[in-house]
Amino acid sequence: MILFSVDAPLSSLRRNYLTGADGLGVIADQVHMRPAPGAPLQPMPRARVRVQELATGRAVWQGESDASGGYRAEGLHSGGAYVVVGIDPLGRYKAEAAGPVIATADGGRAP
């Protein structure tokens, strides 16, 4: 049984058949923490990052921020609206959400 052909167009290979997403949308940003009240924001390395569909709340991507707090959620529906949640896996800081964020080919930003 052949599941897909090497000659298939890239767009068909990138489609997420679980969510129906075209797989071309990206959200890229940075997770921050505030170590004390009134302190400036600082990048938060190794934070858990969850991307949820705005309309349904369903989690469609989960990953971890890098050493500089950056993350890149790929394989989303381009043009789709999402809420991004940053979670401290050690429980020192409150979880924060940002959104709506629109996934785009260049990394998505809040409207």
Side-chain angles (χ1 to χ4, degrees):
M1 174 193 235
I2 298 175
L3 297 178
F4 62 87
S5 167
V6 174
D7 297 323
L10 181 59
S11 61
S12 69
L13 297 177
R14 297 182 104 177
R15 179 168 296 280
N16 182 330
Y17 289 98
L18 178 64
T19 65
D22 61 17
L24 302 174
V26 175
I27 297 173
D29 208 342
Q30 191 174 40
V31 179
H32 294 96
M33 65 180 169
R34 188 178 309 276
L41 291 174
Q42 298 177 1
M44 182 172 203
R46 309 292 175 239
R48 185 175 306 126
V49 181
R50 181 172 295 153
V51 177
Q52 298 173 244
E53 291 177 325
L54 179 64
T56 66
R58 180 175 58 169
V60 295
W61 185 90
Q62 183 168 305
E64 185 176 274
S65 64
D66 62 22
S68 63
Y71 67 90
R72 183 175 176 86
E74 298 179 332
L76 306 172
H77 177 69
S78 55
Y82 298 92
V83 172
V84 180
V85 181
I87 302 166
D88 175 11
L90 300 178
R92 298 166 296 180
Y93 305 102
K94 291 182 188 178
E96 291 282 330
V101 179
I102 306 301
T104 64
D106 63 355
R109 294 288 178 255

